[in-house]
Amino acid sequence: MEVVYTNNKDFKNADKKIIGIIGDINYLDKYLDIYGISYKESWTVRRLLNGLHINLNKRIKDIFAYLDLDIKYLNYKISDLSHTILKYVLLSYLLLNNRRFIIFDYFDAGLTYKEQKKTINIIKKLHDDGIKVVIITNNYVFLSKIVDRIIITDNNKEVFEGTIDELLVNKKYIKDTNIIEFIELANEKNAKLQYTFDRNDLIKDIYRSVS
């Protein structure tokens, strides 16, 4: 399940930092009690969010607007939702139920570049609004654009914790170092490129450096 929650108070200063984890959610078992969302695919979204109440809860409208989610999806069956829309519906469920510590478990998987940018903005907004956030993925690019601290695990054991900048100078913890090695080689030739995991950002930086 791509979005889950915990009622625990804290995890590595998550009240002040957005924490990213390269690895598996099982790593968190020793720190947090984690809960998912139960539902039936035959339910409508309205049934999931509003229970058995007939009238639409106004907060659902507000939360859908917050997530830039079309209100029309309330009448869809869960089985008819795209995988991406379902992710946002489940996130809206957690917000509706006032969950204050949310874990994004490979939420970015399958999202387009545009959808990833939307998700990054939403997560930043959630954190600014006081919700604790942990993001689990193997996507270094996604994490590099959003987290304050990153944890890398191996067999559910922590092998690195630090900032993205600290990770970029510890290449042994990065699975694919090709882009970093390219930047280093270019900078040896006075290119003055910024370190990044994002090839799109690298291309823009190369263009700026030769303009």
Side-chain angles (χ1 to χ4, degrees):
M1 189 173 289
E2 290 87 353
V3 58
V4 295
Y5 69 96
T6 179
N7 292 320
N8 294 65
K9 299 279 186 174
D10 198 16
F11 169 74
K12 291 185 178 288
N13 214 18
D15 56 330
K16 297 178 181 176
K17 307 288 186 181
I18 298 178
I19 308 295
I21 297 174
I22 296 286
D24 190 274
I25 196 170
N26 292 331
Y27 161 77
L28 290 175
D29 285 345
K30 55 191 170 188
Y31 298 103
L32 305 171
D33 295 320
I34 297 171
Y35 305 94
I37 303 168
S38 297
Y39 61 87
K40 294 180 180 179
E41 292 203 344
S42 59
W43 289 355
T44 63
V45 172
R46 185 189 300 270
R47 166 68 179 84
L48 169 67
L49 299 181
N50 218 31
L52 298 175
H53 300 291
I54 297 175
N55 295 325
L56 175 63
N57 187 325
K58 181 183 181 298
R59 284 196 63 224
I60 296 177
K61 288 184 176 179
D62 294 338
I63 289 169
F64 270 44
Y66 185 91
L67 298 178
D68 191 24
L69 192 59
D70 197 315
I71 204 73
K72 70 180 183 182
Y73 290 115
L74 282 171
N75 296 318
Y76 280 50
K77 286 186 177 181
I78 291 175
S79 59
D80 293 333
L81 298 175
S82 71
H83 196 55
T84 298
I85 296 300
L86 177 58
K87 294 181 184 189
Y88 289 117
V89 166
L90 295 177
L91 178 56
S92 70
Y93 176 92
L94 294 185
L95 297 180
L96 185 64
N97 286 276
N98 298 311
R99 302 305 178 188
R100 305 300 297 174
F101 195 155
I102 297 176
I103 300 160
F104 292 79
D105 184 22
Y106 285 79
F107 192 96
D108 59 296
L111 297 183
T112 64
Y113 186 75
K114 182 178 179 180
E115 289 164 346
Q116 287 188 22
K117 288 179 66 176
K118 171 185 172 179
T119 299
I120 287 169
N121 290 334
I122 286 172
I123 291 174
K124 288 180 177 178
K125 189 162 55 171
L126 290 171
H127 192 259
D128 289 344
D129 289 341
I131 293 176
K132 300 172 186 178
V133 175
V134 170
I135 305 165
I136 304 171
T137 183
N138 281 332
N139 188 336
Y140 287 87
V141 175
F142 185 78
L143 288 185
S144 69
K145 294 179 179 297
I146 189 171
V147 302
D148 300 300
R149 296 194 69 76
I150 186 169
I151 297 167
I152 298 178
T153 66
D154 183 20
N155 292 321
N156 293 324
K157 293 182 180 179
E158 186 176 314
V159 296
F160 173 86
E161 181 183 353
T163 65
I164 293 293
D165 288 340
E166 290 168 341
L167 176 60
L168 286 167
V169 297
N170 285 276
K171 289 192 299 182
K172 66 180 180 179
Y173 299 112
I174 303 171
K175 292 181 180 178
D176 180 4
T177 60
N178 289 339
I179 188 171
I180 306 302
E181 291 168 354
F182 175 88
I183 293 169
E184 288 179 341
L185 182 61
N187 286 345
E188 287 175 4
K189 301 180 183 299
N190 299 316
K192 298 180 181 180
L193 301 177
Q194 298 293 317
Y195 281 91
T196 182
F197 288 108
D198 191 331
R199 284 171 169 75
N200 292 325
D201 288 345
L202 174 59
I203 291 170
K204 291 177 186 176
D205 201 18
I206 292 172
Y207 178 79
R208 286 192 293 266
S209 70
V210 298
S211 297

